[in-house]
Amino acid sequence: MADFRASLTDAAPAPGLEPPLAALWWAAKGDWDRAHKIVQDESSADAAWVHAYLHRVEGDLGNAGYWYRQAGQPVAKDSLEAEWERIVSALLGGGKA
């Protein structure tokens, strides 16, 4: 995930990007607080979906990390992070999977 974040070299998302996509952009950069702030006050269905999705991804990644640590294993890049990277790459690439 760090390599993916480093590949997002712009300091900010493209101007005019819809709030849900801008939120995903910031989450991909690792700025979850900014991502949540962008969509939490939006009233569109897309913004609500992205906001819920951000909470789910954070929870899933947190739970995965917890269980890795409970098993005495280092927290490695797991399938959840790979899926998150694929989804964000597709969305930021204009929907190309």
Side-chain angles (χ1 to χ4, degrees):
M1 191 68 139
D3 292 339
F4 175 68
R5 285 186 186 136
S7 73
L8 298 172
T9 56
D10 295 336
L17 196 61
E18 292 293 320
L21 290 176
L24 290 172
W25 191 94
W26 284 110
K29 290 284 277 188
D31 193 340
W32 291 87
D33 290 338
R34 185 175 282 187
H36 283 288
K37 185 160 179 47
I38 289 170
V39 290
Q40 71 186 5
D41 296 326
E42 290 289 318
S43 60
S44 74
D46 289 342
W49 183 88
V50 168
H51 198 206
Y53 184 72
L54 291 173
H55 281 289
R56 179 171 181 233
V57 169
E58 284 181 301
D60 288 348
L61 293 174
N63 288 336
Y66 171 81
W67 290 110
Y68 273 114
R69 288 187 295 278
Q70 288 297 310
Q73 300 297 315
V75 178
K77 183 175 184 178
D78 62 348
S79 62
L80 292 171
E81 287 190 38
E83 180 65 9
W84 169 240
E85 184 175 321
R86 185 191 67 74
I87 291 168
V88 172
S89 293
L91 288 169
L92 295 176
K96 300 173 192 134

